[in-house]
Each structure stands twice: as structure tokens, then as C-alpha cells.
Amino acid sequence: MLGIEDCLAEVMAIPGALDAILVDQTSGMAVAVGGGSRHTDAEKSAAGLNETLRATLDGLAATSPSGTVRISDMIISTDNGHHLLRPLETVFDGPLVIYVRLDLERSNLALARHRLQALAGRLITT
């Protein structure tokens, strides 16, 4: 079982990881920050990432016959990196989302997804 800081350390150990943010999905606020995100506006980034996830959930739910959808992870590829978002089930006050930005040249997207999945199962809050 991992705490938040240990989780971020393991995320940043993923080959090619540049930034990581743990986002409170209810409020859209950054809970913890790792890597280059320490030098950016983490609160603004967390809010934008949360809105992206929320808009995607709403759009997918509208196209789903049942009207509901659960996202396992979300991949966004841009010209400057891969961006992974993974909603987490935790014992925290509300649902969390882990975000990691990966270098295009140095990362392995499949490995990163696998590591995030493994971390998600081990994360607890302290």
C-alpha cells in the first residue's frame, strides 16, 4: 500500500515521465505535484485536466445506451508528449485522478499505462 508522496515518486520513476499531478476529482484542485509541474501553475493545470476528464465522461455517457460510462484511463497525444489520466478509487475524501506527462522520445506508452494501473491498486492516503 502506498501513500500519496510514494505514489508520485513511483509515477515519476516511469521512464520518460516529465510531470505528475494528483487531482481531487470533486474540486479539481491539485492534491500533490511531482516533476516539472512544481514549476508550473499546478492548480490551473489540475482544474483544466479535471474539466477535460469531466467533458469526456459527459460526452461518452451521452453516446452510451445506459447513459453511464466509467473511464479506466485516458490518453491524449500531442506534439510535445503523451498525457495520461487515470481515475483512482481511494479512501480519500473523494475520487482522485493521477495525471502524468510523458516524453515522446523516451517513454513507452504501454509500460506507463501498466505501471499506472498497478499503482492505482496500491494507493492509499495517509
Side-chain angles (χ1 to χ4, degrees):
M1 292 188 270
L2 291 175
I4 290 172
E5 293 303 320
D6 293 331
C7 175
L8 276 182
E10 287 199 30
V11 170
M12 290 307 301
I14 295 172
L18 301 170
D19 303 302
I21 303 174
L22 195 59
V23 181
D24 178 329
Q25 195 173 350
T26 304
S27 69
M29 296 185 70
V31 174
V33 178
S37 292
R38 293 179 183 164
H39 308 292
T40 63
D41 187 346
E43 290 302 326
K44 186 176 179 179
S45 296
L49 292 165
N50 196 49
E51 285 304 312
T52 299
L53 182 62
R54 216 174 268 193
T56 302
L57 277 168
D58 290 347
L60 291 174
T63 63
S64 172
S66 68
T68 60
V69 139
R70 183 174 170 267
I71 292 178
S72 297
D73 60 22
M74 190 167 137
I75 302 167
I76 303 167
S77 294
T78 65
D79 56 350
N80 66 351
H82 298 296
H83 306 264
L84 297 180
L85 292 124
R86 181 164 189 92
L88 304 172
E89 300 295 326
T90 66
V91 294
F92 199 62
D93 289 339
L96 299 175
V97 176
I98 188 92
Y99 160 78
V100 62
R101 180 172 62 102
L102 301 164
D103 182 272
L104 281 173
E105 302 296 321
R106 299 182 305 121
S107 64
N108 178 320
L109 193 52
L111 174 65
R113 289 182 70 212
H114 178 71
R115 292 251 183 108
L116 282 183
Q117 180 182 9
L119 284 170
R122 296 174 41 218
L123 178 69
I124 62 162
T125 57
T126 55

